[in-house]
Amino acid sequence: MSRPNIALNRFGYGVRIGGEAPTNPRQYLLRQLDVFDPAPRVLAGRTDNSAKPGEIVDALRRNRRERRMQATDAGESMDSMANDSAPQRRGRRRRQLTGFPPEVQRTYLGAGRTLREDIGLRTNISVASRAPMVERLVHFWSNHFSVSAQKPGTHYQVADHEFFAIRPHVLGKFSEMLKAAVLHPAMLLYLDQFRSVGPNSPFQERRRERQDPPRRERGLNENLAREVFELHTTGVDGGYSQADITEFARALTGWTIQGIRRVERRSVPQPNGAAFVAYAHEPGSRQIMGRTYRDNNAGQARVVLNDLATHPATARFIATKLARHFAGDTPPPALVTRLEEDFLRTGGDLASLTRTLIDAPEVWTEGPVKYRQPFEWLVAALRITGVDNLNARVLADALNELGQAPWRAPSPAGYDDLEGSWAGPDALFRRVELAERLASNARADDIMNRAQTAFPGALTDNTRTWLSRAESGAQALGLLLVSPEMMRR
């Protein structure tokens, strides 16, 4: 693979139709750090959905309370409902909606439409971007801080998480991105932090006093604290203990989302639609990884995150993950060390880390080092065919078909970044089918020259032969979209 080809395809999303291969690959990549737009104009036109998750949470809480009372009156066990089949659960949810106010029903049912529209925005921004390498970094970090539209309310927040917590910080400080991503409503909802309560908080103490006998206490939730250590900062071998997780979970208590009526009068608004309720916060100082953090309400969790962001184990974990993404499943140790040293020296300056990645010889090795994931392949295919501004439903359906719908990862670890997860025969067949549909609706002229521009110095004789034997331009374009050069980077 030539250096121009690596700059286009290993670092970015390929060349756009009508574009040219870079004559100075390094400068081509560095220039993208200057032209990247963290706030594209199309995002300004999005509907403000920040209040909708709170509406849904409130409505579901009221509905759950009414169902519990009805189940008790009828002698129905909540455990038996939990064991219902999936069709039974879907049917019950539809019946439950009939008891909601019309505006809440519209909010709940509109969630899927909002998610599809945001998937369309994300994809079309990437297709049109003049900084495809930085768009790749946005999606890398979005997957690192993975949130998924798996719970009521999250459909309205997962895109906001990427657009407003990740994009603005992709070339800034890791500590700022960490705080914005972890304390965003999407993360607070997804990992159930929004309802975590300090065991000795004023809220819990008053609840105990007013109940005789006391009901089951709403307790401390450690999900977010655990994932911050394991997935976002130090990594699973980062030297933290279960006690550190519990203490950090206590520091996080009080962080919730705006719009929940029962706590609204006590909540203090925070950035991006989050809120802090001191009434639910666990009082006292915290001991985490050998450091003491005084109780300063919302600031306690922020200070912990600041320290975790610059921890040596975090530097190593981030360096390894970034190297794996750009240099292969088994990242070169020298590259990991170089990135780790830059992270520690700059305090997690992500622009500096990106420049170090660009300058690293290990990333410019000949031969493909990675199989393109479905989203990467689709964006590259749309760029090379000139098909842009596709309907949001079409894009969402295509990515579902390919097996990598944005903000739908199966776990908080995000989508897998290993080649074996994406290179199976079934996945290839899906790409072939979609490539045929794309090619039949795109410009299909001058395919050989287009291929040479898209993969400068990397187009094999075998691919040239197949393209020259194609019966039509559309068939040649379809073959190019599933060629080895297109599949690997």
Side-chain angles (χ1 to χ4, degrees):
M1 294 177 74
S2 68
R3 289 175 70 88
N5 182 68
I6 291 171
L8 285 171
N9 296 296
R10 186 175 299 167
F11 280 96
Y13 282 127
V15 71
R16 268 183 64 80
I17 188 170
E20 298 180 353
T23 55
N24 187 328
R26 179 177 176 275
Q27 286 302 317
Y28 163 77
L29 296 175
L30 291 174
R31 189 163 55 250
Q32 292 184 37
L33 276 65
D34 296 323
V35 302
F36 171 69
D37 185 0
R41 187 179 303 172
V42 292
L43 295 185
R46 290 176 72 248
T47 302
D48 181 7
N49 293 310
S50 58
K52 292 184 177 180
E55 293 175 14
I56 292 175
V57 168
D58 271 342
L60 289 176
R61 178 181 286 118
R62 291 195 302 272
N63 185 269
R64 191 179 299 117
R65 185 168 57 248
E66 292 169 4
R67 283 169 49 215
R68 188 181 294 114
M69 293 173 62
Q70 292 169 2
T72 301
D73 292 343
E76 181 182 10
S77 166
M78 294 300 289
D79 291 335
S80 69
M81 289 197 292
N83 293 326
D84 283 350
S85 65
Q88 287 173 317
R89 288 195 297 271
R90 286 195 294 270
R92 191 170 63 247
R93 281 197 294 270
R94 285 193 293 270
R95 291 193 300 273
Q96 289 164 6
L97 279 177
T98 61
F100 290 164
E103 64 275 12
V104 175
Q105 293 186 39
R106 288 193 295 270
T107 296
Y108 197 93
L109 295 174
R113 181 176 62 252
T114 296
L115 185 63
R116 286 193 300 272
E117 290 171 353
D118 285 333
I119 288 172
L121 276 175
R122 180 199 215 229
T123 308
N124 285 319
I125 287 171
S126 304
V127 172
S129 179
R130 295 190 300 145
M133 178 199 66
V134 190
E135 296 294 340
R136 277 278 304 283
L137 289 171
V138 169
H139 304 144
F140 168 84
W141 289 114
S142 183
N143 193 60
H144 178 78
F145 292 107
S146 182
V147 291
S148 184
Q150 293 179 347
K151 295 181 180 178
T154 53
H155 290 68
Y156 288 108
Q157 288 291 341
V158 288
D160 285 49
H161 185 261
E162 179 176 307
F163 295 157
F164 306 122
I166 303 296
R167 288 189 73 91
H169 303 292
V170 70
L171 297 175
K173 286 284 190 178
F174 178 71
S175 58
E176 295 305 307
M177 182 190 288
L178 177 66
K179 287 180 289 188
V182 168
L183 301 176
H184 190 278
M187 190 73 76
L188 301 176
L189 281 164
Y190 177 45
L191 294 178
D192 298 316
Q193 176 61 40
F194 75 103
R195 57 187 177 193
S196 181
V197 174
N200 301 298
S201 64
F203 172 88
Q204 204 69 291
E205 292 291 347
R206 188 178 181 194
R207 201 160 182 255
R208 293 189 191 106
E209 292 172 1
R210 296 178 64 179
Q211 293 173 6
D212 185 22
R215 293 184 301 178
R216 179 177 62 86
E217 289 188 353
R218 185 189 308 173
L220 186 70
N221 191 297
E222 296 184 352
N223 290 351
L224 179 56
R226 180 175 291 103
E227 304 305 6
V228 167
F229 279 113
E230 182 176 332
L231 301 177
H232 303 153
T233 58
T234 65
V236 69
D237 298 318
Y240 61 90
S241 66
Q242 175 56 44
D244 293 322
I245 293 173
T246 301
E247 282 289 272
F248 185 31
R250 288 171 177 157
L252 284 164
T253 52
W255 278 92
T256 185
I257 64 173
Q258 294 179 25
I260 299 179
R261 292 180 185 175
R262 67 181 302 180
V263 296
E264 201 163 21
R265 67 187 180 87
R266 296 180 182 271
S267 68
V268 177
Q270 302 293 327
N272 294 320
F276 185 78
V277 181
Y279 193 58
H281 178 66
E282 178 72 3
S285 61
R286 310 264 76 86
Q287 298 284 331
I288 301 172
M289 296 189 79
R291 296 190 180 186
T292 301
Y293 298 90
R294 67 182 180 86
D295 185 3
N296 60 341
N297 290 326
Q300 191 174 51
R302 287 195 181 103
V303 177
V304 177
L305 288 169
N306 271 332
D307 285 350
L308 289 176
T310 56
H311 194 282
T314 299
R316 185 73 178 179
F317 183 65
I318 296 299
T320 302
K321 197 167 182 178
L322 192 66
R324 182 182 296 118
H325 186 72
F326 284 96
D329 288 357
T330 305
L335 175 60
V336 174
T337 299
R338 190 176 291 110
L339 292 172
E340 178 185 6
E341 290 173 347
D342 181 275
F343 192 99
L344 290 171
R345 184 180 67 255
T346 65
D349 185 311
L350 298 182
S352 178
L353 195 67
T354 302
R355 294 187 187 96
T356 296
L357 179 74
I358 292 170
D359 287 338
E362 296 86 356
V363 186
W364 296 91
T365 57
E366 293 186 6
V369 297
K370 206 81 170 174
Y371 195 80
R372 267 180 165 150
Q373 295 180 21
F375 184 81
E376 297 171 8
W377 176 83
L378 179 62
V379 171
L382 294 173
R383 286 172 68 87
I384 197 174
T385 57
V387 177
D388 55 9
N389 289 317
L390 274 177
N391 175 273
R393 182 180 287 277
V394 171
L395 289 171
D397 289 347
L399 287 162
N400 275 323
E401 184 180 330
L402 293 170
Q404 197 182 29
W407 312 304
R408 281 287 193 183
S411 80
Y415 282 112
D416 196 2
D417 200 14
L418 298 176
E419 184 161 311
S421 301
W422 306 107
D426 182 59
L428 176 60
F429 180 70
R430 293 177 187 178
R431 295 189 192 191
V432 170
E433 286 190 321
L434 187 54
E436 290 176 352
R437 298 204 298 270
L438 284 173
S440 66
N441 291 286
R443 277 179 50 190
D445 58 312
D446 204 18
I447 300 302
M448 188 67 76
N449 284 335
R450 205 187 305 184
Q452 291 173 163
T453 301
F455 306 104
L459 202 64
T460 64
D461 291 340
N462 187 55
T463 298
R464 292 175 190 274
T465 299
W466 280 106
L467 295 181
S468 65
R469 291 177 178 175
E471 297 179 357
S472 66
Q475 186 183 68
L477 181 57
L479 290 170
L480 179 62
L481 295 181
V482 294
S483 66
E485 293 87 341
M486 187 72 182
M487 292 295 186
R488 301 179 66 86
R489 54 172 175 83

